[in-house]
Structures are given as structure tokens and as C-alpha cells.
């Protein structure tokens, strides 16, 4: 830390040019730096990260990351002029977690509030579900000293719907059950969609899933949205899960993949209507711990036009206590194509002509069934 302070001190001692930002300041600092002096003390040296030399301030930011050794044969590595993957060393940098804390806090503190809809509404009054966060935060903050306690309301939360609220019974969205979609989540979604080639994506509906370590999400296809040409975005936080991505039909064996905290899955094109499921949420390898990408101090400053807001230490304590044994997943959907409207409800007369087959998919039914598993309290 001493070296870091020295380096930062030197940077600070440089005269700030008008309109200069933090990046530009360090750019100038390193342009002028003197090799062999303390100037370079804060530069991360990956080759020294796990040796005695690797004790500089930067070394603490470096984490070893795992490679998929079995994905590349020694022979293919050799053909490419590379060592076997088992000899490679891969590193990640701590402190580049993005702003996961913001979304976790929104899911727990803000999006769980009315007018959004949640699984607890079925059994509880509006007053009782009005502020799940307020009712749960002290329980959660003192969870460790209080293992035998009842579960807090936040721990009983299983799903929240946003925007056009998904109706689990009819498996439909409708024009008359809509509340404003959170603007920060809409903005995040639009950026991610655009980066994937979907300019003009509109975040119109969200399903937030709150998993405990024993929760599962059954095999299903998300086909209730009316425009399947738009992607479905899925953001994961907290404990890792195994995600199974199958085919168009259930008889196709799925591919298993980890979904770690901070991962974003985009289901688009052919994969938009594939079967998928979450059969397992994995407990933290350290017992009740946080993924290391979440073990980072909250930033002191944010951009002036940031859509993410500051998070207090106190709020983050509640979130981390919750996340030690939980996973939160946000899925964001565009329901309607531009200029599309919901179909008008069939008249009583016409209803008789609609076979159940047309409206009720086995997959969806199955999903509903398993949702109940994710949602033991509804
Ligand atoms: C969903 C969904 C997957 C996940 O909500 O439709 O598939 O990773 N979620 O929780
Ligand atoms: Mn899904």
C-alpha cells in the first residue's frame, strides 16, 4: 500500500490539466515514469503475481482463474505451438466487478416493492408485502448470530414481475396489467442488447428469480412474448448455478454450463426458443461465502450521469448476508414488436373454437409446476 500511496501521490502532485480525467492523469504519469524507481511500484506484474516478488499493491488485485483444461487437447495445443493448457497460468483482476452490487440491491430493496408483483402477494396483504426490505434487513444483518431464527420475508421471496406482469395461470402478458418498467434496468438491457446486435430492443417485461440453495427452475421455453425475434436477456448474481440449455424438443440432451455472478446470457435467434432449466444452485466453496467478484469495496465516486446509484455500507451488508446462500437472476424481455398490440380477447363465442392445445403448452405447464418448486410459498 505504501508504494501505491507513493505512486498515487506522485500522480496527484502532477498539475491537473483543464478537464483532465482520472484515466488521462495516470496516462501522463506513466508516460513520464522512470524505470527502476518507485514510479512503477503500482504496476501489476502477472509474472510475479504468485511469487515472493508478487507482494506489491497490485498483487492483491490478481486472482487465479480456472481454465477449461479438458476443452483443448495437448495435441491441439501443441499443433498451435502452445504448451498443454494444464501448464498455462490464467489470471483475473479483482476490482473489475462492474456494478453488480447495484442490481443486487435493486432486486432486493427496490424492485421487490409495489407496484411490482411477487409470489408473496397471493397470501399476504398489500401492507404486509409493502416493504420486504425494511421488514427483513435487521434479520439479515444479524443472521450469523441468529441461525435458528425464522426466515425473513426477503428469504421467502421467489419471484417478482416487472413491466407487463407475466400471468402464471394464463401464461400471458396483457395490456391491462402493466406498471412502469424500471428505467435503470431498461437502460442496462438496451446497452447489452445493442452490443449483441439488437438495436432498438425495448425492455417491457421482467421476471426476477430469487433462488435459495435448494431451489430449481424446471425445464421450460419462454414463448409467451409475442415477438420472438427479440432476445431474452438473463443476468445472474450471487452463488453460481448450473444452467442447462437444450434443444427445441425435450428429447435433445442439454448442454450444462455454469452461470456465475456477473454472467449475462442472451438467448436470441435460434436459441430464443430452446428448452432450458436450472437444476442446481451451488453452495459457496468456502461454506457461506461471496463470489470474490462481489468482495470489493463500493466505489466512492460514480459518473455524474451514472444510472447506478451509490449503495450504503449498511445496505450492502444486508445484500451480502442474503447472497451468501442465494442466487438472484433477472430476465428481461421485449414482449411486443414495434407497433404491435396485444390481440383482443376472444369473445365468449369464439372461445369455444380455440382448442386447449393452441394456448397451453406442455412446457409452460411444466414450468409452472416447477416454478412452484422455486416458489414453495405460493
Ligand atoms: C427464466 C429463466 C434462468 C436462470 O426466468 O425464464 O430461464 O438462470 N431463468 O435463472
Ligand atoms: Mn427461461
Amino acid at each position: 500500500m505504501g508504494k501505491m500511496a507513493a505512486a498515487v501521490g506522485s500522480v496527484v502532485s502532477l498539475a491537473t490539466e483543464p478537464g483532465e480525467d482520472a484515466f488521462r492523469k495516470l496516462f501522463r504519469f506513466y508516460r513520464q515514469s522512470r524505470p527502476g524507481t518507485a514510479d512503477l511500484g503500482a504496476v501489476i506484474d502477472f509474472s510475479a503475481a504468485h511469487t515472493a516478488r508478487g507482494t506489491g499493491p497490485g498483487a492483491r488485485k490478481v486472482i487465479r482463474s480456472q481454465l477449461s483444461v479438458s476443452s483443448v487437447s495437448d495435441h491441439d495445443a501443441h499443433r498451435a505451438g502452445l504448451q498443454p493448457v494444464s501448464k498455462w497460468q490464467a489470471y483475473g483482476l479483482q476490482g473489475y466487478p462492474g456494478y453488480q452490487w447495484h442490481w443486487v440491491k435493486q432486486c432486493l430493496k427496490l424492485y421487490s416493492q409495489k407496484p411490482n408483483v411477487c409470489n408473496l402477494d397471493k397470501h399476504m396483504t398489500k401492507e404486509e408485502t409493502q416493504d420486504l426490505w425494511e421488514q427483513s434487513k435487521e434479520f439479515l444483518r444479524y443472521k450469523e448470530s441468529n441461525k435458528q431464527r425464522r426466515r425473513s420475508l426477503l428469504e421467502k421471496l421467489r419471484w417478482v414481475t416487472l413491466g407487463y406482469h407475466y400471468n402464471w395461470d394464463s401464461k400471458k402478458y396483457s395490456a391491462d396489467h402493466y406498471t412502469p418498467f424500471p428505467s435503470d434496468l431498461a437502460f442496462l438491457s438496451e446497452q447489452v442488447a445493442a452490443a449483441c446486435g439488437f438495436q432498438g430492443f425495448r425492455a417491457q417485461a421482467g421476471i426476477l428469480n430469487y433462488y435459495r440453495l435448494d431451489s430449481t427452475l424446471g425445464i421450460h421455453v419462454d414463448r409467451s412474448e409475442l415477438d420472438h425475434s427479440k432476445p431474452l436477456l438473463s443476468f445472474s448474481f450471487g452463488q453460481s448455478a448450473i444452467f442447462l440449455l437444450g434443444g427445441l424438443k425435450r428429447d435433445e440432451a442439454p448442454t450444462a454450463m455454469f452461470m456465475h455472478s456477473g454472467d449475462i446470457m442472451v438467448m436470441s435467434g435460434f436459441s430464443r426458443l430452446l428448452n432450458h432449466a436450472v437444476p442446481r444452485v451451488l453452495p459457496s466453496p468456502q461454506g457461506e461465502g461471496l463470489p470474490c467478484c462481489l468482495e470489493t469495496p463500493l466505489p466512492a465516486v460514480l459518473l455524474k450521469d451514472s444510472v447506478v446509484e451509490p449503495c450504503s455500507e449498511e445496505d450492502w451488508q444486508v445484500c451480502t448476508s442474503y447472497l451468501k446462500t442465494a442466487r438472484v437472476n433477472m430476465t428481461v424481455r421485449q414482449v411486443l414488436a414495434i407497433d404491435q398490440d396485444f390481440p383482443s380477447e376472444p369473445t365468449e363465442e369464439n372461445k369455444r373454437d380455440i382448442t386447449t392445445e393452441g394456448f397451453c403448452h406442455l412446457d409452460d405447464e411444466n414450468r409452472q409446476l416447477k416454478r412452484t418448486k422455486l416458489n414453495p410459498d405460493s
Side-chain angles (χ1 to χ4, degrees), residues 211-216 239-242 278-283 325-327:
Y211 294 80
R212 296 168 57 79
L213 296 179
D214 58 359
S215 305
T216 60
Q239 302 307 324
S240 301
I242 295 174
V278 178
R280 182 102 162 94
V281 176
L282 299 160
T325 54
R327 167 176 188 261

Side-chain angles (χ1 to χ4, degrees), residues 158-268:
R158 288 293 165 272
W159 54 260
V160 166
T161 53
L162 310 171
Y164 287 115
H165 298 280
Y166 186 69
N167 181 320
W168 302 100
D169 299 320
S170 67
K171 301 166 193 77
K172 284 197 251 181
Y173 301 98
S174 66
D176 55 11
H177 198 189
Y178 176 83
T179 59
F181 192 95
S183 59
D184 54 351
L185 183 53
F187 184 79
L188 171 77
S189 304
E190 285 151 17
Q191 307 319 303
V192 171
C196 297
F198 295 94
Q199 279 75 21
F201 175 83
R202 295 196 293 178
Q204 296 175 323
I207 298 179
L208 313 179
N209 297 301
Y210 301 78
Y211 294 80
R212 296 168 57 79
L213 296 179
D214 58 359
S215 305
T216 60
L217 178 63
I219 307 165
H220 68 277
V221 175
D222 293 279
R223 59 169 113 250
S224 300
E225 297 73 27
L226 301 179
D227 182 1
H228 294 150
S229 71
K230 296 297 182 296
L232 188 153
L233 313 181
S234 163
F235 303 84
S236 296
F237 305 103
Q239 302 307 324
S240 301
I242 295 174
F243 184 93
L244 296 179
L245 183 64
L248 289 168
K249 298 231 170 73
R250 289 275 288 269
D251 54 12
E252 221 174 293
T255 301
M257 55 193 95
F258 287 115
M259 211 59 94
H260 297 302
S261 193
D263 285 351
I264 305 173
M265 156 89 84
V266 177
M267 295 179 79
S268 65

Side-chain angles (χ1 to χ4, degrees), residues 25 32 105 130-131 133 140 181 183 214 225 285 307 332 364 374:
K25 211 169 192 174
Q32 297 168 16
K105 190 188 78 175
Q130 188 45 46
D131 205 335
W133 173 272
L140 283 164
F181 192 95
S183 59
D214 58 359
E225 297 73 27
V307 302
V332 179
D364 293 342
L374 178 60

